[in-house]
Amino acid sequence: MVSRVIPVDPFDLVIFGGTGDLARRKILPGLFRRYCAGQMPPEARIIGAARADIDDAAYREMVRDAINEFSDEGSVDADKLTSFIADLSYVAIDARGETGWRQLVTHMRRGVVRAFYFSVAPSLFGDLAERLNNHGLTDNNSRIVVEKPFGRDLASARQLNQDLAAFFDESQIYRIDHYLGKETVQNLMAVRFGNMLFEPLWNSQFVDHIQITVAETVGVGGRGEYYDKSGAMRDMVQNHLMQLLCLIAMEPPARFDPDAVRDEKLKVIRALEPVEPHHIIRGQYDADPTDPVENPSYREGAENPSSKTESFIAMKTHIANWRWAGTPFYLRTGKRLSARSSEISVMFKDTPHSIFGEEAGRHRNVLSIRLQPNEGMQLGVTIKEPGPGGMRLIDVPLDMSFADALGPDGGENVDAYERLIMDVIRGNQTLFMRGDEVEAAWTWTDPIIEGWTKRGDVPKPYDSHSAGPDASTQLMRRDGREWREVTP
Ligand code: BG6
């Protein structure tokens, strides 16, 4: 398979927060990979901007170290890295003052795409937008990229949208949800809308229920302070799981273009029903007794002994529209679970009648789309159990790992961030969240969080490296269903 890398147009990219964690872990290594892949034109300029008073040379060395640290082992070509960092520059800047802004202006060219990545706390978004405007950096070639969390409730998200809208048109604002940049997440749309096979069955008449699981083995690590104010609902459900739900449930857009796709996603979010309190299970992990120092409890990690923040959430929700009325969607995500595994499973209904008699056994078709790791799809199909002794039915998987199906050089392994940054330069907003989408997501999320806060709900403890609290299993069992096992 030939990889088709089309270079993007020349651009200036300013990374505010250019010395921060996200820049070092994701943004800069991602840009370097695109550079190595030949997608960045020689005229591209990358400018780090942050508070630290360092010079270009020190910034370049910081970037070299970050790329070496956060790239796959053995994947960094030292000569290419030296030439990549040689073109980087750095501006010490004060987001709320005047320091550095004039210098930044001298780095920026006219007539090329000018992208500003706000890899900073959301409380600075408005200040940065205003200063970009005051310094004449907000013309039609300018775009801004903003990271989650986009607000912590509807009111704050609205405020952020207003702060940005004061200086930028919606078509210039790129709100990142990195799940949308994942290869398999886009594959969801290819599978649904590129095949005749699935779409006719994709509705409540044929689908019993849908499960979406995003399980992580890691705990909150060094992010305890941020995470304790968020919890799994704000950190994962309001954005990543909601986006997956939208792609699985939306109507076919007329075209694969930004507004057609985002209009359909928005309709799904607006059709989500409020979630009943007894359909939500929240959990908090305990320490791993075999290694409590490396794997402390959630409360120790978050340094908040009385924290009521959830590191796990499971819930049942419904979409009130013609396609999905009556089909439950079960969502589940958590940290310190037994395996890192993200999967969407479409569980089809039973056949209406078994011609083989109940004693032959019955199996349901399951289409499971594996997002990570081992990206692929599996379709459970019922066949006859081989051998004599009459008709007995078994379930076999039609298994397709994308790596196996596409071969070792089948398609390039492009990380979500690098893909999304290149989309910003190309001016393609399809995989970014629109302002109204984010607000609608908070409109659904807020009452759920308010509900458990008012009730004084305390998350249920669960064992580290388990499938979460037992109550999550019971949520399914009450409905006569089971979660699919979390496997690596
Ligand atoms: C981030 C969350 O958005 O997504 C993290 O803030 C989470 O808490 C991460 O670990 C998961 O991303 P991925 O790509 O590793 O599944």
Side-chain angles (χ1 to χ4, degrees):
M1 183 156 312
V2 184
S3 122
R4 283 178 298 143
V5 174
I6 303 168
V8 294
D9 289 337
F11 62 87
D12 290 347
L13 169 65
V14 180
I15 309 170
F16 292 109
T19 55
D21 197 53
L22 184 73
R24 293 169 56 251
R25 273 174 195 278
K26 295 285 183 188
I27 304 172
L28 290 156
L31 287 165
F32 175 58
R33 277 194 295 275
R34 292 296 86 211
Y35 175 80
C36 294
Q39 197 163 19
M40 287 219 293
E43 305 85 5
R45 275 190 199 165
I46 299 170
I47 302 146
R51 261 195 314 209
D53 192 11
I54 55 174
D55 61 10
D56 287 347
Y59 187 63
R60 288 177 191 145
E61 287 315 307
M62 188 221 82
V63 174
R64 186 201 297 278
D65 291 348
I67 291 177
N68 277 321
E69 184 178 350
F70 295 112
S71 301
D72 291 342
E73 223 179 307
S75 69
V76 178
D77 176 327
D79 291 340
K80 283 194 178 150
L81 181 53
T82 300
S83 60
F84 173 74
I85 62 170
D87 291 333
L88 300 182
S89 39
Y90 179 81
V91 177
I93 211 156
D94 180 1
R96 295 206 160 119
E98 284 313 309
T99 310
W101 287 95
R102 276 176 200 279
Q103 198 196 342
L104 180 65
V105 171
T106 62
H107 279 78
M108 309 297 295
R109 292 168 291 179
R110 292 214 166 266
V112 297
V113 168
R114 306 201 287 196
F116 300 96
Y117 201 126
F118 291 9
S119 179
V120 295
S123 54
L124 294 177
F125 289 179
D127 295 300
L128 287 178
E130 187 179 346
R131 276 170 184 69
L132 287 173
N133 182 61
N134 294 350
H135 291 275
L137 294 172
T138 48
D139 64 14
N140 287 342
N141 281 324
S142 306
R143 328 186 158 154
I144 54 171
V145 186
V146 294
E147 270 294 329
K148 75 174 260 277
F150 198 83
R152 53 174 287 105
D153 52 21
L154 177 60
S156 53
R158 263 194 191 140
Q159 187 61 53
L160 285 177
N161 274 338
Q162 278 168 19
D163 292 348
L164 298 180
F167 305 107
F168 291 93
D169 185 68
E170 180 63 34
S171 62
Q172 298 176 288
I173 305 173
Y174 291 72
R175 295 176 194 79
I176 285 207
D177 181 313
H178 80 278
Y179 266 58
L180 289 176
K182 289 182 189 274
E183 185 72 21
T184 337
V185 173
Q186 290 163 68
N187 229 332
L188 280 179
M189 287 181 275
V191 166
R192 281 195 62 194
F193 305 129
N195 292 288
M196 192 58 210
L197 206 56
F198 302 115
E199 203 52 24
L201 305 179
W202 214 259
N203 57 54
S204 59
Q205 203 186 335
F206 298 100
V207 175
D208 177 73
H209 72 279
I210 290 181
Q211 300 186 12
I212 303 179
T213 295
V214 177
E216 298 184 274
T217 49
V218 291
V220 291
R223 300 166 72 223
E225 200 189 327
Y226 148 78
Y227 193 91
D228 205 43
K229 295 195 197 91
S230 299
M233 187 71 179
R234 289 191 173 97
D235 185 52
M236 295 293 286
V237 177
Q238 187 271 346
N239 36 74
H240 306 326
L241 274 82
M242 181 84 88
Q243 290 296 323
L244 299 179
L245 175 77
C246 285
L247 298 181
I248 271 288
M250 71 184 182
E251 296 301 316
R255 290 170 309 282
F256 189 56
D257 79 19
D259 278 331
V261 171
R262 297 185 299 178
D263 286 348
E264 294 307 335
K265 289 198 293 169
L266 181 62
K267 285 185 209 159
V268 174
I269 304 176
R270 288 192 173 150
L272 276 172
E273 288 190 351
V275 181
E276 307 269 341
H278 62 287
H279 290 160
I280 304 174
I281 309 299
R282 296 164 70 231
Q284 213 181 51
Y285 57 81
D286 282 335
D288 180 346
T290 63
D291 189 5
V293 178
E294 275 297 304
N295 291 313
S297 70
Y298 173 80
R299 288 179 175 194
E300 284 169 280
E303 294 180 27
N304 180 358
S306 55
S307 172
K308 290 184 185 169
T309 302
E310 76 287 351
S311 59
F312 173 97
I313 190 161
M315 63 169 73
K316 173 164 84 161
T317 183
H318 283 93
I319 299 172
N321 65 16
W322 270 57
R323 185 189 282 261
W324 293 118
T327 306
F329 285 73
Y330 296 93
L331 314 182
R332 168 175 67 153
T333 184
K335 297 209 182 279
R336 198 74 78 66
L337 297 179
S338 55
R340 175 169 186 255
S341 162
S342 302
E343 198 177 81
I344 300 175
S345 298
V346 181
M347 320 290 280
F348 289 93
K349 288 189 171 169
D350 284 336
T351 51
H353 165 71
S354 171
I355 65 166
F356 309 109
E358 289 307 323
E359 60 285 1
R362 260 202 211 210
H363 300 272
R364 285 178 169 177
N365 299 118
V366 179
L367 174 69
S368 115
I369 300 157
R370 193 154 173 100
L371 307 179
Q372 59 189 30
N374 314 326
E375 291 87 343
M377 272 173 52
Q378 200 185 64
L379 180 64
V381 180
T382 300
I383 61 164
K384 175 186 174 300
E385 189 176 271
M391 182 65 91
R392 285 186 313 275
L393 304 180
I394 54 165
D395 186 30
V396 290
L398 280 183
D399 216 337
M400 189 174 84
S401 133
F402 293 147
D404 291 348
L406 301 174
D409 49 337
E412 226 189 320
N413 183 8
V414 181
D415 171 80
Y417 275 93
E418 46 190 294
R419 178 194 312 280
L420 293 174
I421 297 171
M422 290 299 107
D423 278 359
V424 172
I425 307 300
R426 285 193 207 97
N428 184 350
Q429 288 187 306
T430 311
L431 300 177
F432 295 83
M433 292 179 297
R434 213 168 49 192
D436 51 2
E437 233 183 297
V438 179
E439 290 188 13
W442 283 118
T443 303
W444 178 76
T445 311
D446 276 3
I448 299 175
I449 298 178
E450 276 160 24
W452 75 54
T453 310
K454 262 194 211 132
R455 292 193 301 276
D457 181 89
V458 177
K460 298 183 169 44
Y462 62 94
D463 291 345
S464 272
H465 311 302
S466 69
D470 189 49
S472 149
T473 311
Q474 299 311 325
L475 172 75
M476 280 292 206
R477 293 216 172 129
R478 279 203 304 262
D479 294 347
R481 300 182 173 112
E482 294 282 345
W483 288 110
R484 280 171 60 85
E485 217 182 313
V486 177
T487 50

